Amino acid sequence: MKKVQDSKKAQILVVDDEAGIRQTLKDFLTGHGFAVLTAGEGEEALSLFQTYPIDLVIADIRMPGELNGLMLTRRIKDLNPNTPV
C-alpha cells in the first residue's frame, strides 16, 4: 500500500514472521486511521522501508533469517536515525 501524498495519515511498517500477528496489528492500526504496510521477514521490511516513506516501524525481535528484528532495527537506524522503531 503506497502512501497517498495528500494524506495526513502516518504510515507504519509492521514486521512479524507470524501472519496472524501482522494482520491483527494491521487491522487495529488501520482502524485507528493509520496507513499500514506489512512484512513477514527482515529483508522484505528493509526493502519496503527503502521504497516508501515510513513514519514508524513495529518489529518482532525474534524472527528467522539473518536479518532478525534487532539487526533490522540497526539497519533502519543506519538509514534514518529519526525513524522510531
Side-chain angles (χ1 to χ4, degrees), residues 5 13-14 18 20 22 24-25 34 38 47 53 56 58-59 66 68 75 78 82:
Q5 295 300 324
L13 174 58
V14 173
E18 294 186 41
R22 283 194 313 271
T24 298
L25 285 170
F34 296 99
T38 63
S47 176
L56 170 69
I58 299 173
E66 289 187 31
N68 63 30
R75 296 282 299 275
D78 287 344
N82 295 322

Side-chain angles (χ1 to χ4, degrees), residues 1 14 21-31 36 38:
M1 166 193 322
V14 173
I21 292 173
R22 283 194 313 271
Q23 190 61 51
T24 298
L25 285 170
K26 181 178 181 177
D27 292 346
F28 177 80
L29 293 167
T30 302
V36 180
T38 63

Side-chain angles (χ1 to χ4, degrees), residues 42-59:
E43 290 81 8
E44 178 186 12
L46 192 58
S47 176
L48 289 170
F49 185 80
Q50 293 172 314
T51 303
Y52 298 100
I54 303 295
D55 299 300
L56 170 69
V57 178
I58 299 173

